Amino acid sequence: MPVILGIESSCDETSASVCVDGEILSNVIANQTIHEAYGGVVPELASRVHQQNIVPAVQQALLNAKVSKNDIDAVAFTRGPGLLGSLLVGVSFAKAFALAKSLPLIDINHMQAHILAHFIGDHKPVFPFLCLTVSGGHTQIVLVNDYFEMQVIGQTLDDAAGEAMDKTSKILGLPYPGGPLIDKYARQGNPDAYKFPEPQIPGLDFSFSGLKTAILYFIRDNVAKNPDFISHNLPDICASVERRIATILLNKLQKAAQIHGIKQIALAGGVSANTGLREGLKELCAKNGWESFIPKMEYCTDNAAMIAIAGYYKYLKGEFAGQEIAPLARMIM
Ligand code: KG4
Ligand code: ZN
């Protein structure tokens, strides 16, 4: 019954989790509100807040799981990709903890962990399956052949889907992070009110920078005619943008499933919390007779439970890291 402590600190969430024999017993997430004032994550501030939060987060995770630090068998941590200073805090903590307790270390790729979050709980996909991983920094269609055998078959050529959400919200004058607010306003709006362009990118790749520019010009032109355009039409604008982002993502996902003949389709990453995208995937799968895998809300945005579960599977494989390991801001699958 391996007991794994998981640590996540790649961006602006400090998180710790305890996984016992593949079951998540705690998942503590300390959010950083300091960035709201700046309209985006400030890397230097993020590192400092991680330093303040990491010890209390781990203490709380152990307490919630009713596990003592002497019960831990291995420490899993996010090695990358992410903000280097933020990663350094989690990696240094994990190394110090492992050294003090003579425990093995397990390095985890954050993007793989988002996908492996589907192995928390009972509704687990069967290999091979497809996963659309959509976060603030990544947009990928991944062919998942095994726990750590993943192939990116489509990705964004410029902005990520979450970035498109966040930049739209900035254009609309909403605070950061904008994705959850676009989701909130979209629920009261008409998704067919405005038509935004669908980029014509060959194959399974994505592009969101043209859409961002189209939204920017659309808002600028309408506000020039009517200064109250945004406040009078916010729900319809949000619903229409959300619909377009979701259809761009789902059209490519459908194409990927057809090309690879795969009938198990998963969503992962922060944007998988989006209501329109979740409902859209369910409809797409129902229409095609495919099975959809949609993570619970607490496992969509960054969390250490996904690091702990990924750590559990690596522990079973006997793959450990040494004390010389360093974080990586960029990391491929
Ligand atoms: O995976 P994540 O927590 O962090 C990264 O690894 O980047 O993803 C964060 C992204 C942000 O762009 C945020 O706006 C977006 O996920 N997001 C959402 C929603 N919740 C978070 N986008 C749309 N609708 C949501 N409900
Ligand atoms: Zn993430």
Side-chain angles (χ1 to χ4, degrees), residues 8 10-11 13 110-111 114 135-136 138 269-270 300-303 306:
E8 155 65 30
S10 65
C11 189
E13 274 97 12
H110 180 89
M111 299 312 293
H114 269 300
S135 70
H138 292 79
C300 290
T301 45
D302 290 347
N303 66 87
M306 68 186 196

Side-chain angles (χ1 to χ4, degrees), residues 3-329:
V3 179
I4 313 287
L5 172 65
I7 307 285
E8 155 65 30
S9 71
S10 65
C11 189
D12 61 341
E13 274 97 12
T14 320
S15 183
S17 167
V18 174
C19 173
V20 178
D21 204 26
E23 201 184 325
I24 298 297
L25 297 193
S26 64
N27 181 34
V28 172
I29 304 172
N31 291 301
Q32 303 187 355
T33 49
I34 191 162
H35 308 287
E36 281 167 16
Y38 302 92
V41 177
V42 183
E44 180 56 33
L45 294 179
S47 322
R48 290 186 205 179
V49 182
H50 280 307
Q51 280 183 319
Q52 289 162 13
N53 288 349
I54 188 99
V55 172
V58 170
Q59 272 171 337
Q60 195 59 48
L62 293 173
L63 212 64
N64 291 2
K66 299 188 175 62
V67 158
S68 140
K69 45 184 183 299
N70 300 323
D71 299 332
I72 295 169
D73 293 307
V75 186
F77 63 90
T78 305
R79 185 183 187 194
L83 301 171
L84 198 58
S86 292
L87 289 165
L88 257 174
V89 178
V91 174
S92 306
F93 178 89
K95 284 162 73 166
F97 194 101
L99 195 62
K101 293 292 196 187
S102 303
L103 296 174
L105 282 166
I106 305 173
D107 60 308
I108 298 296
N109 178 318
H110 180 89
M111 299 312 293
Q112 290 191 343
H114 269 300
I115 296 172
L116 294 173
H118 285 286
F119 292 88
I120 301 170
D122 296 330
H123 187 226
K124 296 180 174 69
V126 174
F127 300 115
F129 65 92
L130 279 184
C131 187
L132 171 70
T133 314
V134 271
S135 70
H138 292 79
T139 304
Q140 300 175 329
I141 300 179
V142 184
L143 177 58
V144 188
N145 290 311
D146 206 343
Y147 295 106
F148 300 99
E149 224 190 283
M150 304 185 186
Q151 192 188 347
V152 178
I153 56 171
Q155 62 191 319
T156 183
L157 304 175
D158 40 57
D159 292 355
E163 232 174 320
M165 293 276 185
D166 295 337
K167 285 180 177 169
T168 301
S169 82
K170 206 167 187 175
I171 294 169
L172 295 173
L174 301 172
Y176 179 89
L181 290 170
I182 298 221
D183 190 341
K184 183 181 142 200
Y185 292 114
R187 306 282 65 77
Q188 297 128 40
N190 172 11
D192 298 317
Y194 307 109
K195 282 269 171 276
F196 295 105
E198 176 156 13
Q200 302 302 313
I201 307 296
L204 298 176
D205 288 334
F206 302 94
S207 166
F208 287 100
S209 70
L211 175 66
K212 176 190 66 190
T213 310
I215 295 167
L216 183 69
Y217 289 168
F218 169 81
I219 298 294
R220 186 196 62 187
D221 295 347
N222 278 288
V223 169
K225 283 183 251 163
N226 169 13
D228 295 325
F229 177 75
I230 295 177
S231 59
H232 285 172
N233 300 287
L234 191 58
D236 283 352
I237 300 168
C238 290
S240 302
V241 169
E242 182 191 273
R243 169 65 60 85
R244 176 48 80 215
I245 292 174
T247 53
I248 292 171
L249 294 168
L250 294 173
N251 286 345
K252 292 282 177 155
L253 191 55
Q254 177 169 6
K255 195 169 165 186
Q258 285 163 347
I259 291 172
H260 290 271
I262 289 186
K263 296 184 164 63
Q264 298 220 343
I265 319 285
L267 268 188
V271 184
S272 65
N274 182 260
T275 312
L277 184 61
R278 293 166 83 91
E279 286 173 358
L281 182 71
K282 277 187 216 152
E283 276 170 33
L284 178 71
C285 288
K287 191 179 80 188
N288 288 286
W290 301 336
E291 193 178 357
S292 63
F293 294 84
I294 297 174
K296 277 191 186 165
M297 283 305 210
E298 65 258 46
Y299 304 135
C300 290
T301 45
D302 290 347
N303 66 87
M306 68 186 196
I307 305 303
I309 193 83
Y312 168 71
Y313 285 105
K314 253 195 170 175
Y315 184 94
L316 295 184
K317 277 168 67 99
E319 282 185 18
F320 301 108
Q323 278 288 336
E324 72 289 349
I325 196 150
L328 292 173

